[in-house]
Amino acid sequence: MAILSDRDIKKCLKTGEILIEPLENPERQIQPSSVDLRIGNEFKGFRIIRKPCIDPMDKTDMDSYMESFYINDGEPFIIHPGEFALATTYETVKLPDNLVARVEGRSSMGRLGITMHVTAGYIDPGFHGRITLEISNIGKMPVALYTGQRVCQIVFETMTSPSEKPYGHPDRDSKYMGQKRPETSKIKHDYEIVNRSRS
């Protein structure tokens, strides 16, 4: 695998092989080997609930564990130490079937104790939608996040060959294809959970 340089990223954006919309400031957002992405204005955080745990086998809708927040431009979303929240990128991203991507937090955010993904920084070939960010504050101070703020970067890597069944293929279970807002976990739709609950 090889990481795309700024030169190659610009070529792919020009030909439409990679889609990032809106890319309002390419000169600032395109870095030597990545593209800075901004945070949107919808967030989800966990409610305080009286359950012992989140159980994928529970028939309860996962959305019931979380509440949504819409943040107006210029208003902060405050994430406190130890808190976890979901958000999306401001930009919509579309990948071809021969590229994968990774989302990494910006160094400037990491130095404030803010992580932008817990484990799901990987984006499959063929994905199309906004990227859900899994934000945690592992620092000791609350941090304000603002809509349109550059918080993460996307890195593109070439594959040895195009994917036979990219994300979104009819034979693939692509639960998050086309997402436009922060999506809660759809783990209860995983085939091993579904099959176990039927038995």
Side-chain angles (χ1 to χ4, degrees), residues 17 23 29 50 53 57 62 71 92 94 121 125-126 139 141 147 161 164 166 168 183 186 193-194:
E17 190 177 0
L23 188 60
Q29 288 181 254
R50 298 181 181 275
C53 66
M57 297 291 288
M62 291 290 176
I71 306 300
T92 296
K94 185 176 182 181
M141 293 286 290
T147 298
S161 63
E164 185 178 339
E183 294 284 351
K186 296 184 180 179
I193 301 294
V194 172

Side-chain angles (χ1 to χ4, degrees), residues 106-145:
R106 290 185 67 222
S107 172
S108 295
M109 300 306 299
R111 293 170 201 227
L112 299 176
I114 303 298
T115 65
M116 283 296 143
H117 67 83
V118 178
T119 61
Y122 183 84
I123 305 165
D124 281 309
F127 173 82
H128 183 198
R130 290 184 177 178
I131 299 164
T132 293
L133 303 173
E134 303 157 339
I135 306 168
S136 292
N137 183 344
I138 60 173
K140 294 186 179 291
M141 293 286 290
V143 176
L145 301 174

Side-chain angles (χ1 to χ4, degrees), residues 56-161:
M57 297 291 288
D58 189 345
K59 300 298 183 191
T60 305
D61 185 356
M62 291 290 176
D63 269 339
S64 68
Y65 292 102
M66 304 191 90
E67 57 186 323
S68 297
F69 305 92
Y70 185 91
I71 306 300
N72 293 319
D73 289 351
E75 292 180 3
F77 177 82
I78 310 295
I79 186 158
H80 293 267
E83 280 189 338
F84 172 82
L86 297 177
T88 60
T89 55
Y90 186 81
E91 295 83 5
T92 296
V93 174
K94 185 176 182 181
L95 296 182
D97 61 5
N98 64 340
L99 290 178
V100 296
R102 286 182 289 111
V103 172
E104 302 288 352
R106 290 185 67 222
S107 172
S108 295
M109 300 306 299
R111 293 170 201 227
L112 299 176
I114 303 298
T115 65
M116 283 296 143
H117 67 83
V118 178
T119 61
Y122 183 84
I123 305 165
D124 281 309
F127 173 82
H128 183 198
R130 290 184 177 178
I131 299 164
T132 293
L133 303 173
E134 303 157 339
I135 306 168
S136 292
N137 183 344
I138 60 173
K140 294 186 179 291
M141 293 286 290
V143 176
L145 301 174
Y146 291 89
T147 298
Q149 181 180 357
R150 290 179 299 130
V151 294
C152 62
Q153 55 194 331
I154 187 169
V155 178
F156 302 95
E157 296 184 62
T158 58
M159 297 170 58
T160 54
S161 63

